[in-house]
């Protein structure tokens, strides 16, 4: 587990980007909890951390592609993104990076 | 049907249509769809669109992924069938897995026919058949490339148009003496050729390609007789041939295609074939319309063993999808009796072919009105006494004249009767709902006007569109606005909790955010998480995740001091480009999000709102201040307009312009709101456009003074703010409401006074704070910052023992489990 930020660092309902172990990830503070996904949309690299959160999904700010916050699965067209495990320990938000390129959309 | 289910082999239009037809008849049917391609079934008929648009194949997808899950269709994409045991209806999939079914339907389609000429295997030669081909063509055919398209049929012309629209020099090479000889007679073909040439496509007829030139890669073509054509890319589109290898190796009867009977059964009782791979009564169909007919009957065969419904062949007809060339060909293009109206200037060519006094075919070029009516007449073998009169009547036909069987949407095979049933039986009240229910109009969209007409007729005239704010909430903007007002909701989360279906989607949140602010006259509770990133950081996100900064310059007027500050800031924060915009502003592009507060502080000018659905720019000419032709003070009026409206959010962006004389240098007649000085006063123009479409603004009124113009324009602006749908620009809003209706409202004394009063209240709250002042008072300490660098005491440091041993740390695993419901 790698510590990324404090719980106060991400406003409720929004996301922020972080670089962890040289990888760009997006940390989301949703109503239903904390999530982490690979930050770049597989379409054209849009920053998912800047997307709107709703209904357990994030919407890419560039072309409205939607991804499941928990699994990274694409709910619109195209590939999904890697999802990382998140834990809150006290007031700290920690992530465990999933192996790179392993897509969560194997289902 | 037995519990073993139905396997459909092939994920093209045939496979998908059959899948839908089966489920439509028996919602409990278990269908397995095997698609060799990685993507979900898509609309190949519209392939040339993605060549033109440069988008991925996703836009052509026939159904979203959820559809398959919702209908419990098992979809095996990227899988192919190695072998078929026809007697046992058993498939051997790649990798050796065997699955047996109650029935198997082969929808294997066709593959491009490649002529037997040397050199076709060279790099630089591609067929035009799938999205992969489009991708390859796009990569190879950059601007200025020379491209030869072999084949002047329907698909070849669509490919040629697609490539030409990418800026390539395209030559169509055709073996025959006229284009589209299978669908057209000589008269129509002669008119089609100049129309195609007008699109910048050269046409070479009667050329037999002997070989492809080139050693390492294709460099051109040589024709019989020795003539040569240089080309960087060669696209082959001479036709298709049924994909029948699987059927052949399974021992099924195969001629040109897989032979099927009138119930679409092959020579094996449990195996059917549908679409371009099938041969029915000696005919292999290569067009889309017959596929729907076949799929419908095949679905009956699959779900009802007792049925005696038969397929009796289809009328062949096609539509050319090339922008600017309207062409429809139905049935026979030539016959014993013909009536033609033609005008080479148009070009216009309309022909009705009769056989034994009955409608047998038609060709419509340049004016395709009446396609549905003629299709129906030909399909029904209508007796026609006076073909010329019939052609004219078809052109004038309205929705009411069409029989229920007339097909309206070709992409999805939807008839008029289906649309009417959606209104009468399923209770749909608007064209939008009908389109969602029937899928009519959701393909290429060319039938939408006819769908609207049919729906208007079925609903009893008024085609009033109850446009839902978002598909996730079956509530209109008006309903939601009323409830927000009456129930006193002041924030997006209140509205979703009280009015929503319990769900909210990322797409309608910004629409609700505007609605809540508008109904509450900007005295709402702001929830930034409901806003687009642009409205959270007050800058426009660019394709690389950086932002652009556009300071406000009222009326496009600036000063040396402002320019100096902008120049310094551009250098200091390393803006990647400084660009003058079409709205007379300066845009600093490529600014990092975290630099936004500092750059705004250094520039010291207010936000130009270039990132928001809001009042944008007012463009002005120099008017009476300097221009020797000016008759009105355009700069003064433009600056006043901009100051009056600044800071207000709107349903969609609002761009304005003021011209000091009818020469109209500020292009005010193509703005959302424009003012033009004329002799004796000012003309107020609204709803102009100069984007994807060009629309000349309507004259709302001519007024004596600038003050009167500003007042009336403000009243109209407020009316738009209160009544337009999310993202509905004025050029869509005004035609929807009607100019006369708008004029009646904004000139009504009482209503205009009320609108003006609400405008003032909203404006007072909006103008209270320039959003760029959030540089000093951010709504959150990390409004503009990501987590890098300042992410905690030991960013990136490993904390705690490995997770397995970590029970003592009270790890709260948050978020739903991975298979949690959505």
């Amino acid at each position: 587990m790698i510590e990324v930020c404090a719980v106060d660092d991400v406003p409720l309902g929004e996301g922020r980007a972080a670089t962890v172990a040289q990888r760009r990830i997006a940390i989301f503070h949703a109503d239903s909890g904390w999530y982490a996904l690979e930050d770049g949309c597989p379409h054209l690299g849009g920053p998912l951390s800047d997307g709107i959160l709703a209904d357990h999904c994030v919407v890419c700010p560039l072309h409205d592609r939607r991804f499941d916050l928990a699994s990274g699965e694409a709910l619109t067209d195209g590939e999904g993104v890697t999802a990382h495990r998140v834990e809150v320990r006290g007031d700290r938000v920690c992530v465990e990076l999933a192996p790179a390129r392993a897509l969560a959309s194997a289902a | 049907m037995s519990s073993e289910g139905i396997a459909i082999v092939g994920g093209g239009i045939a496979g998908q249509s059959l899948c839908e037809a089966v489920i439509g008849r028996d919602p409990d049917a278990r269908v397995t769809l095997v698609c060799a391609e990685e993507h979900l079934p898509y609309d190949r008929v519209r392939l040339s669109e993605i060549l033109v648009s440069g988008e991925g194949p996703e836009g052509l997808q026939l159904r979203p992924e959820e559809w398959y899950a919702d209908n419990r269709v098992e979809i095996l994409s990227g899988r192919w069938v190695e072998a078929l045991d026809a007697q046992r209806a058993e498939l051997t999939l790649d990798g050796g897995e065997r699955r047996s079914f109650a029935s198997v339907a082969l929808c294997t389609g066709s593959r491009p026919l490649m002529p037997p000429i040397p050199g076709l295997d060279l790099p630089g030669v591609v067929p035009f058949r799938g999205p992969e081909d489009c991708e390859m063509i796009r990569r190879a055919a950059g601007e200025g490339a020379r491209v030869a398209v072999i084949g002047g049929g329907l698909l070849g012309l669509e490919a040629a148009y697609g490539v030409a629209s990418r800026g390539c020099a395209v030559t169509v090479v055709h073996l025959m003496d006229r284009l589209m000889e299978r669908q057209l007679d000589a008269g129509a073909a002669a008119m089609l050729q100049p129309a195609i040439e007008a699109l910048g496509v050269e046409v070479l007829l009667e050329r037999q390609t002997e070989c492809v030139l080139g050693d390492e890669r294709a460099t051109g073509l040589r024709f019989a007789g020795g003539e040569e054509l240089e080309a960087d890319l060669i696209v082959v589109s001479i036709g298709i041939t049924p994909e029948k290898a699987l059927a052949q190796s399974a021992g099924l009867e195969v001629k040109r295609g897989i032979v099927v009977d009138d119930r679409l059964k092959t020579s094996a009782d449990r195996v059917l074939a549908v679409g371009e791979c099938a041969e029915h009564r000696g005919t292999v169909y290569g067009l889309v319309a017959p596929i729907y007919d076949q799929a419908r009957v095949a679905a009956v065969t699959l779900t009802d063993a007792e049925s005696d419904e038969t397929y009796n062949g289809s009328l062949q007809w096609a539509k050319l999808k090339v922008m600017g060339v309207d062409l429809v060909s139905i049935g026979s293009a030539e016959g014993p009796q013909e009536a033609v109206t033609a005008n080479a200037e148009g070009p216009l060519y309309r022909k009705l072919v009769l056989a034994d006094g009955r409608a047998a075919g038609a060709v419509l070029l340049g004016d395709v009105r009446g396609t549905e009516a003629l299709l129906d007449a030909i399909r029904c073998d209508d007796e026609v006494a006076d073909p010329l009169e019939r052609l004219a009547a078809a052109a004038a036909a309205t929705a009411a004249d069409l029989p229920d069987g007339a097909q309206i949407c070709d992409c999805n095979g939807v008839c008029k009767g289906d649309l009417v049933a959606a209104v009468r039986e399923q209770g749909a009240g608007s064209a939008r709902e009908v389109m969602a229910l029937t899928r009519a109009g959701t393909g290429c969209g060319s039938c939408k006007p006819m769908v609207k007409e049919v729906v208007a007729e079925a609903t009893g005239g008024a085609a009033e569109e109850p446009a839902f704010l978002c598909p996730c909430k079956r509530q209109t903007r008006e309903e939601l606005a009323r409830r927000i007002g009456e129930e006193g909701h002041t924030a997006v989360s209140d509205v979703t909790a009280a009015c929503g279906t319990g769900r909210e989607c990322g797409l309608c949140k910004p629409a609700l955010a505007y609605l809540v602010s508008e109904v509450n006259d900007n005295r709402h509770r702001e929830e930034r998480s409901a806003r687009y990133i642009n409205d959270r950081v007050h800058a426009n996100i660019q394709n690389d995740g950086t932002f652009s900064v556009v300071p406000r310059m009222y009326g496009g007027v600036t000063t040396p001091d402002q320019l100096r500050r902008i120049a310094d800031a551009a250098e200091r924060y390393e803006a990647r480009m400084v660009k003058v915009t079409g709205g007379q502003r300066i845009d600093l592009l490529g600014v990092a999000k975290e630099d936004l507060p500092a750059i705004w502080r250094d520039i010291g000018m207010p936000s130009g709102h270039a990132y928001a659905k809001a009042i944008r720019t007012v463009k002005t000419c120099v008017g009476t201040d300097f221009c020797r032709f000016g008759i009105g003070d355009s700069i003064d009026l433009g600056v006043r307009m901009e100051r009056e409206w600044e800071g207000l959010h709107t349903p969609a962006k609002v761009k304005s312009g003021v011209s000091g004389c009818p020469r109209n240098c500020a292009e005010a007649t193509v703005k959302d709101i424009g003012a033009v000085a004329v002799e004796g006063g000012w003309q107020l123009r609204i709803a102009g456009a100069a984007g994807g479409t060009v629309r000349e603004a309507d004259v709302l009124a001519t007024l004596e003074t600038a003050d009167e113009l500003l007042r009336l324009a403000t009243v109209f602006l407020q009316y738009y703010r209160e009544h337009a749908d999310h993202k509905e620009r004025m050029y869509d809003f005004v035609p929807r409401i009607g100019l006369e209706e708008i004029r009646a409202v904004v000139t009504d004394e009482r209503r205009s006074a009320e609108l003006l009063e609400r405008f003032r209240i909203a404006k007072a709250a909006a103008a209270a704070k320039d959003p760029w002042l959030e540089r000093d008072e951010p709504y959150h300490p990390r409004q503009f910052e990501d987590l890098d660098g300042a992410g905690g005491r030991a960013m990136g440091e490993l904390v705690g023992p490995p997770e397995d041993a970590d029970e003592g740390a009270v790890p709260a695993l948050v978020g739903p489990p991975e298979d949690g419901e959505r």
Side-chain angles (χ1 to χ4, degrees):
Chain A
M1 279 273 153
I2 300 171
E3 184 178 317
V4 179
C5 61
V7 289
D8 294 342
D9 282 336
V10 184
L12 182 64
E14 296 188 29
R16 288 293 182 273
T19 305
V20 178
Q22 277 116 54
R23 286 166 68 183
R24 199 72 177 150
I25 64 168
I27 305 285
F28 299 105
H29 186 184
D31 293 332
S32 52
W34 290 79
Y35 303 88
L37 299 176
E38 174 189 343
D39 194 32
C41 176
H43 178 214
L44 291 168
L48 298 183
S49 49
D50 282 340
I52 291 182
L53 306 188
D55 196 27
H56 303 295
C57 297
V58 57
V59 184
C60 176
L62 295 192
H63 305 99
D64 293 342
R65 292 198 179 205
R66 297 171 71 210
F67 301 89
D68 185 288
L69 284 173
S71 68
E73 196 182 329
L75 296 160
T76 41
D77 310 318
E79 283 174 55
V81 292
T82 306
H84 306 289
R85 215 161 70 85
V86 187
E87 272 184 29
V88 175
R89 298 179 176 183
D91 71 338
R92 315 305 297 178
V93 180
C94 306
V95 299
E96 180 182 86
L97 293 187
R101 302 306 314 154
L103 293 187
S105 57
Chain B
M1 222 60 250
S2 106
S3 62
E4 292 169 282
I6 297 164
I8 298 176
V9 180
I13 294 179
Q16 179 66 26
S17 309
L18 179 58
C19 183
E20 302 210 359
V22 167
I23 288 164
R25 289 184 54 84
D26 176 8
D28 296 324
R30 285 179 44 201
V31 179
T32 299
L33 186 60
V34 190
C35 308
E37 296 180 275
E38 285 290 347
H39 18 253
L40 292 173
Y42 64 92
D43 190 353
R44 194 192 297 278
V45 177
R46 293 163 55 213
L47 195 61
S48 59
E49 282 177 27
I50 64 175
L51 191 55
V52 176
S53 67
E55 282 170 19
E58 303 82 24
L60 301 187
Q61 203 167 300
L62 289 163
R63 288 287 194 183
E65 202 168 339
E66 300 85 85
W67 184 87
Y68 298 95
D70 289 350
N71 288 287
R72 292 176 300 131
V73 173
E74 179 187 24
I75 181 146
L76 304 176
S77 53
R79 301 290 302 274
W80 62 93
V81 176
E82 299 270 9
L84 161 70
D85 181 331
Q87 301 316 317
R88 298 164 60 187
E90 183 183 82
L91 301 178
T92 307
L93 293 166
D94 58 304
E97 184 194 349
R98 287 187 186 193
R99 299 268 304 262
S100 51
F101 298 89
S103 318
V104 171
L106 299 175
C107 300
T108 47
S110 58
R111 59 195 156 81
L113 199 56
M114 299 302 266
I117 54 174
L120 277 188
D121 50 350
L122 284 171
V125 181
V126 285
F128 179 61
R129 188 63 186 151
E132 303 77 16
D133 303 330
C134 285
E135 180 56 36
M136 206 190 295
I137 292 170
R138 260 205 306 275
R139 259 187 315 215
E143 204 170 320
R146 296 159 307 170
V147 180
V149 177
I150 305 182
L154 189 73
L155 204 56
L157 291 180
E158 289 180 3
Y161 163 68
V163 177
S165 67
R166 304 186 49 76
C168 302
V170 181
T171 306
V172 169
V173 179
H174 196 46
L175 184 64
M176 310 303 285
D177 63 352
R178 61 177 199 252
L179 294 172
M180 287 180 66
E181 76 285 348
R182 292 181 59 180
Q183 286 95 14
L184 299 185
D185 61 338
M191 280 197 201
L192 176 63
Q193 186 171 339
I196 294 289
E197 285 165 344
L199 299 169
V201 174
E202 195 188 347
V203 177
L204 295 180
L205 297 174
E206 296 179 85
R207 297 298 198 288
Q208 183 176 1
T209 306
E210 228 172 42
C211 67
V212 177
L213 301 171
D215 301 323
E216 302 280 288
R217 73 174 275 123
T219 58
L221 297 174
R222 182 184 297 136
F223 305 123
E227 186 191 359
E228 291 185 359
L229 173 71
E230 287 184 18
D232 308 308
L233 176 74
I234 291 153
V235 179
V236 183
S237 184
I238 60 169
I240 53 172
T241 180
E243 186 59 80
K244 57 195 177 191
L246 181 65
Q248 226 154 8
S249 61
L252 298 175
E253 189 190 353
V254 166
K255 289 180 186 164
R256 268 188 63 217
I258 306 167
V259 176
V260 293
D261 64 13
D262 290 352
R263 300 192 65 198
L264 281 313
K265 284 189 179 182
T266 65
S267 56
D269 189 54
R270 290 164 70 184
V271 180
L272 283 72
V274 172
E276 291 176 334
C277 65
E279 175 177 334
H280 175 258
R281 296 187 194 172
T283 302
V284 175
Y285 293 96
L287 300 169
V288 68
I291 294 178
Y292 300 118
D293 302 339
Q294 293 184 359
R296 196 180 49 74
V297 178
V300 175
T301 305
L302 285 169
T303 53
D304 181 0
E306 307 303 313
S307 162
D308 53 4
E309 185 152 350
T310 57
Y311 171 71
N312 302 310
S314 294
L315 174 64
Q316 302 239 37
W317 73 282
K319 188 187 273 180
L320 182 69
K321 278 168 281 300
V322 166
M323 199 180 289
V325 183
D326 291 326
L327 174 63
V328 170
S329 147
I330 308 168
S332 325
E334 284 163 299
Q337 198 190 345
E338 300 180 343
V340 178
T341 55
N343 175 2
E345 295 299 305
L348 176 93
Y349 190 89
R350 291 171 64 85
K351 171 174 175 178
L352 181 60
V353 178
L354 303 186
D356 302 326
R358 293 169 183 278
V363 177
L364 306 174
L365 172 67
D367 176 3
V368 297
R369 285 177 306 149
T371 300
E372 295 85 2
L374 290 173
L375 255 175
D376 197 65
I378 295 163
R379 200 172 268 141
C380 303
D381 289 329
D382 272 8
E383 265 186 66
V384 177
D386 180 348
L388 270 180
E389 189 268 322
R390 187 61 173 257
L391 265 180
T398 64
D401 303 326
L402 291 174
D404 278 357
Q407 187 157 302
I408 307 292
C409 171
D410 313 325
C411 295
N412 293 297
V414 184
C415 298
K416 178 187 169 188
D418 303 329
L419 301 177
V420 174
V423 172
R424 304 228 169 107
E425 286 154 36
Q426 294 175 270
S430 70
R432 232 182 266 209
E433 283 173 88
V434 170
M435 290 194 272
L437 283 170
T438 62
R439 295 182 50 73
T442 57
C444 70
S446 66
C447 65
K448 273 186 193 168
M450 190 48 102
V451 173
K452 285 184 183 161
E453 216 180 295
V454 171
V455 172
E457 189 215 343
T459 53
E464 184 68 22
E465 281 281 270
F468 295 130
L469 183 92
C470 179
C472 84
K473 290 189 179 48
R474 284 180 59 86
Q475 294 174 68
T476 60
R477 202 198 63 84
E478 286 78 13
E479 279 172 64
L480 285 164
R482 183 183 55 75
R483 292 193 58 182
I484 291 169
E486 287 175 5
E487 298 169 19
H489 305 299
T490 58
V492 174
S493 55
D494 298 348
V495 183
T496 52
C499 312
T501 55
R503 288 178 54 139
E504 49 177 22
C505 87
L507 300 176
C508 62
K509 267 186 169 181
L512 287 174
Y514 171 74
L515 201 58
V516 167
S517 71
E518 191 276 306
V519 176
N520 286 288
D521 295 321
N522 288 328
R523 286 162 171 73
H524 61 292
R525 190 153 47 79
E526 174 75 12
E527 286 174 338
R528 282 300 164 85
S529 60
R531 299 279 190 184
Y532 292 117
I533 184 67
N534 284 9
D535 289 308
R536 278 186 253 154
V537 300
H538 314 301
N540 196 0
I541 192 166
Q542 306 294 307
N543 60 9
D544 62 352
T546 63
F547 289 83
S548 81
V549 170
V550 182
R552 193 164 285 282
M553 290 174 180
Y554 301 92
V557 179
T558 183
T559 63
D561 176 52
Q562 285 181 344
L563 291 173
R564 219 170 270 126
R565 280 181 278 146
I566 290 170
D568 288 343
E571 280 187 346
R572 195 169 305 130
Y573 300 98
E574 295 171 353
R576 271 177 35 219
M577 178 177 275
V578 182
K579 171 101 178 60
V580 175
T581 72
Q584 297 182 335
R585 303 301 140 101
I586 294 176
D587 192 352
L588 307 184
L589 291 143
V591 177
K593 197 203 286 176
E594 57 269 23
D595 286 338
L596 292 170
I599 203 167
W600 296 336
R601 198 174 292 121
D602 287 6
I603 291 174
M605 293 162 69
S607 163
H609 291 88
Y611 46 82
K613 302 191 191 314
I615 297 297
R616 294 279 184 91
T617 55
V618 180
K619 183 174 181 173
T620 64
C621 69
V622 290
T624 45
D625 276 1
F626 294 93
C627 178
R628 62 204 163 94
F629 299 111
I631 52 178
D633 191 345
S634 49
I635 292 181
D636 178 66
L637 177 56
V639 171
R640 284 173 61 197
M641 274 162 83
E642 199 162 336
R643 288 195 184 278
E644 180 78 4
W645 302 337
E646 175 188 7
L648 278 176
H649 283 247
T650 40
K653 62 187 170 191
V654 174
K655 295 176 165 185
S656 308
V658 182
S659 286
C661 82
R663 287 174 186 76
N664 191 22
C665 293
E667 296 158 352
T669 53
V670 288
K671 298 294 181 199
D672 293 293
I673 299 181
V676 181
V678 293
E679 276 309 329
W682 290 91
Q683 210 176 44
L684 174 57
R685 316 272 306 227
I686 58 170
T693 55
V694 178
R695 180 181 195 276
E696 188 180 356
D698 300 313
V699 178
L700 183 61
T702 302
L703 302 135
E704 280 179 26
T705 66
D707 287 342
E708 288 171 84
L709 182 134
L710 184 54
R711 181 184 185 279
L712 189 63
T714 304
V715 169
F716 166 67
L717 176 67
Q718 181 64 16
Y719 181 74
Y720 168 72
R721 294 187 67 242
E722 293 178 10
H723 291 90
D725 288 331
H726 179 55
K727 293 189 181 173
E728 186 179 33
R729 291 286 299 269
M730 282 185 185
Y731 53 72
D732 287 325
F733 173 73
V734 170
R736 174 166 72 85
I737 303 292
L739 186 63
E740 283 313 312
E741 166 71 16
I742 288 172
R743 194 176 279 140
V745 171
V746 299
T747 52
D748 179 272
E749 204 173 318
R750 186 181 57 82
R751 293 192 68 182
S752 67
E754 287 168 0
L755 283 163
L756 215 48
E757 182 55 24
R758 286 195 297 274
F759 166 83
R760 289 198 184 104
I761 297 170
K763 164 73 183 175
K769 194 175 153 198
D770 166 24
W772 283 4
L773 293 177
E774 283 182 8
R775 61 191 179 229
D776 297 320
E777 292 170 33
Y779 71 84
H780 183 276
R782 288 195 179 272
Q783 178 174 359
F784 303 100
E785 278 173 47
D786 282 326
L787 302 172
D788 293 330
R793 53 176 185 219
M795 174 68 191
E797 183 184 304
L798 275 168
V799 291
E803 49 170 336
D804 295 343
D806 153 315
E807 288 160 10
V810 200
L813 178 59
V814 286
E818 292 211 84
D819 57 349
E821 61 188 276
R822 283 194 293 281

